[in-house]
Amino acid sequence: MKQPPLKQYIYDLYDTVKNTVQPLHPKKHSEKTRALLAVGLVSFFWGTTWLASKKGVETIPGLQLAGIRQFLGGSIYLIYFLIIKRHPLPSLKQLTQFLWMSILMFVISNGFSTWSLQYIPSGLGAVIGAISPIWIAIFSVMMIRDTKLNLITSIGLLFGFLGILIIFYDYLDAFLNTRFTIGIILGIFATMTWAVGTIYTVRHSKNLNAYYSVGWQMFLSGVILTIVSRATGQFVPLEQTTPKTWYAIGYLVMFGSIITLAAFIYALKRLPPAQASVYAYINPIVAVIIGSLLNNEKLNLVIAGGTLVTLLGVYLVNTGYKKTQLPEES
């Protein structure tokens, strides 16, 4: 039997692949389905960025790594908006808002969480990072008038802290190591700052383009973190960096600061908060598993159980807190 020419075979193969993949293309789905796919993308890739950061801080200090990542990510956003879309420059008032949000959300929160990975496993850092909603609930009561903790939120707080204590119990011997304790403190402080920044952003960022705002926040934080890392001596000359450094930075910029951040904002604008926030429960699980498989980080029944208890607490806090935000029926 005569075989078809190679060129025709390639065309037939292309048509087969195209017909198989085309129904899966995002444009073939509804807007809600695309938003759910975006949440799935965020859930997985943000979980992997913890290990990427861990690999990065093995070659350069955490503050410098965070600074380069945010500067490059923010620059890409601003190039798109200012040069391609010809978006107007922000007003002085807007720039001040961007500056405050960048300090809270990126300089301190992201900078400290990345710095903490110099001393603690990436999976543990991700679990600590997941407790931000708990701090949001606590600080909301302290900062916003008429905000109270209901029963569900209170139970969630207990479960959240219980889960963290279970995990810490398995690391009791590590607490004798001063560096490990410093990492825990940095991670917890980063989550507290993220919570304050989230409350500030919700109350002061109305009528701002979310993508444009994030671009400025990342750019400004990149500049600030670079200055701070140099001033404090937490800096390695770029000519002394290794390919491993730039692999980590490239991954963090593309998947941590560009693709997934854009996907998260896209989902946040099109889904109820409960659905968009699902990523917060999946990220730590991905980070713990990836850290164990690819970086030989500790993973046993105690850590797995503590992680699940913590995430259950975060879920209850989110559920209870959102109920307090709903208007009462008259």
Side-chain angles (χ1 to χ4, degrees), residues 18-39:
K18 180 180 178 182
N19 292 334
T20 302
V21 174
Q22 197 170 31
L24 302 176
H25 194 281
K27 289 185 178 180
K28 295 293 181 179
H29 299 294
S30 67
E31 189 174 72
K32 182 178 180 179
T33 301
R34 291 198 298 270
L36 289 172
L37 290 173
V39 172

Side-chain angles (χ1 to χ4, degrees), residues 4 59 84 102 114 142 156 170 187 208 249 291 294 304 308 310:
T59 56
I84 298 177
S102 72
T114 306
M142 298 168 59
D170 203 65
L208 292 177
I249 290 173
L294 302 183
L308 294 178
T310 301

Side-chain angles (χ1 to χ4, degrees), residues 48 50-58 117 120-124 244 286-299:
T48 64
W50 287 94
L51 181 58
S53 295
K54 180 67 177 178
K55 290 298 183 182
V57 299
E58 291 175 359
L117 295 178
I120 62 176
S122 61
L124 179 57
K244 180 180 177 181
V286 171
V288 169
I289 294 174
I290 292 292
S292 175
L293 293 176
L294 302 183
N295 206 40
N296 296 317
E297 295 180 1
K298 184 190 294 188
L299 176 58

Side-chain angles (χ1 to χ4, degrees), residues 139-274:
F139 292 151
S140 294
V141 173
M142 298 168 59
M143 299 169 60
I144 303 176
R145 187 178 300 175
D146 298 329
T147 300
K148 298 179 181 179
L149 297 178
N150 57 26
L151 180 60
I152 296 177
T153 304
S154 300
I155 294 174
L157 290 175
L158 291 176
F159 271 99
F161 286 117
L162 175 62
I164 291 295
L165 289 176
I166 292 173
I167 296 172
F168 283 174
Y169 176 79
D170 203 65
Y171 283 100
L172 279 179
D173 57 333
F175 276 98
L176 299 175
N177 184 330
T178 304
R179 290 168 58 86
F180 182 86
T181 305
I182 291 174
I184 295 297
I185 293 172
L186 288 172
I188 292 176
F189 188 70
T191 63
M192 295 171 71
T193 311
W194 180 270
V196 174
T198 299
I199 296 171
Y200 179 90
T201 300
V202 169
R203 301 184 70 185
H204 296 89
S205 62
K206 295 178 180 178
N207 302 320
L208 292 177
N209 182 300
Y211 299 97
Y212 189 51
S213 172
V214 163
W216 274 105
Q217 289 176 53
M218 287 195 294
F219 177 79
L220 292 171
S221 66
V223 173
I224 295 171
L225 282 166
T226 300
I227 293 172
V228 171
S229 66
R230 279 182 171 272
T232 58
Q234 299 191 59
F235 184 83
V236 172
L238 296 183
E239 59 270 18
Q240 295 180 18
T241 57
T242 66
K244 180 180 177 181
T245 306
W246 293 101
Y247 293 150
I249 290 173
Y251 189 88
L252 289 169
V253 170
M254 291 307 301
F255 291 97
S257 299
I258 301 297
I259 296 175
T260 48
L261 194 54
F264 175 62
I265 296 174
Y266 178 88
L268 205 59
K269 288 177 174 290
R270 291 164 176 82
L271 293 175

